Each structure stands twice: as C-alpha cells, then as structure tokens.
C-alpha cells in the first residue's frame, strides 16, 4: 500500500478490514488522543488538586507556583 501524504483521516469498512486482515495486515488500536497539554491541565487546577497529582511535570508546576508566591 502506498502511504498518502494528506493529513485527513480515512475509514476502513468492516468488509475492507476483513480482506486486509486475511491478507496479513495487523490492526492495532490507535493511541489515546491528546486534546490538550498536561501543563495546561495542571495550570487550571487548584493547589489542593495539584498536590494530589504525581509526576515530574506536576512537581515542576508546584515549584513554579511556590516561586511565584515567594
């Protein structure tokens, strides 16, 4: 199959999918769509909500908030 350079989504019908699977193509579920940046999500949280969040990016946002207050 030739890869198309357009960025528009395409859809495979069940019939075409079955034919492709029979021909040896393997289908994997798409990755989870990301609609926003984690930093933007964390920025919208209260300090109490942010305190419950794990991870390096949450740690960085907590440090940033503390340095703004000081």
């Amino acid at each position: 199959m030739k890869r198309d350079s357009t960025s528009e989504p395409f859809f495979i019908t069940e019939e075409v999918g079955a034919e492709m699977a029979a021909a040896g193509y393997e289908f994997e579920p798409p990755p989870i769509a990301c609609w926003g940046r984690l930093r933007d999500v964390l920025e919208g949280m209260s300090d109490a909500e942010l305190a419950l969040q794990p991870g390096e990016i949450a740690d960085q946002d907590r440090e940033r908030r503390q340095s703004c207050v000081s």
Side-chain angles (χ1 to χ4, degrees), residues 15 20 29 32-33 39 43 45 50:
E15 295 82 17
M20 292 176 73
I32 297 172
R39 291 187 193 279
E43 190 175 283
M45 291 182 173
L50 181 61

Side-chain angles (χ1 to χ4, degrees), residues 1 4 10 14 17-19 21-22 24 27 34-35 39 42-47 49 55 58 62 65 68-69:
M1 294 184 95
D4 193 346
F10 67 95
E14 287 184 33
E19 289 177 21
F27 293 94
C34 180
W35 294 102
R39 291 187 193 279
L42 295 174
E43 190 175 283
M45 291 182 173
S46 69
D47 289 341
E49 291 171 322
R62 281 188 284 274
R65 288 184 187 195
C68 289
V69 173

Side-chain angles (χ1 to χ4, degrees), residues 12-61:
I12 298 174
T13 64
E14 287 184 33
E15 295 82 17
V16 171
E19 289 177 21
M20 292 176 73
Y25 286 94
E26 294 181 19
F27 293 94
E28 294 182 24
I32 297 172
C34 180
W35 294 102
R37 291 178 357 155
L38 179 57
R39 291 187 193 279
D40 295 337
V41 173
L42 295 174
E43 190 175 283
M45 291 182 173
S46 69
D47 289 341
E49 291 171 322
L50 181 61
L52 300 173
Q53 300 303 312
E56 183 179 347
I57 295 175
D59 292 341
Q60 291 170 358
D61 201 64

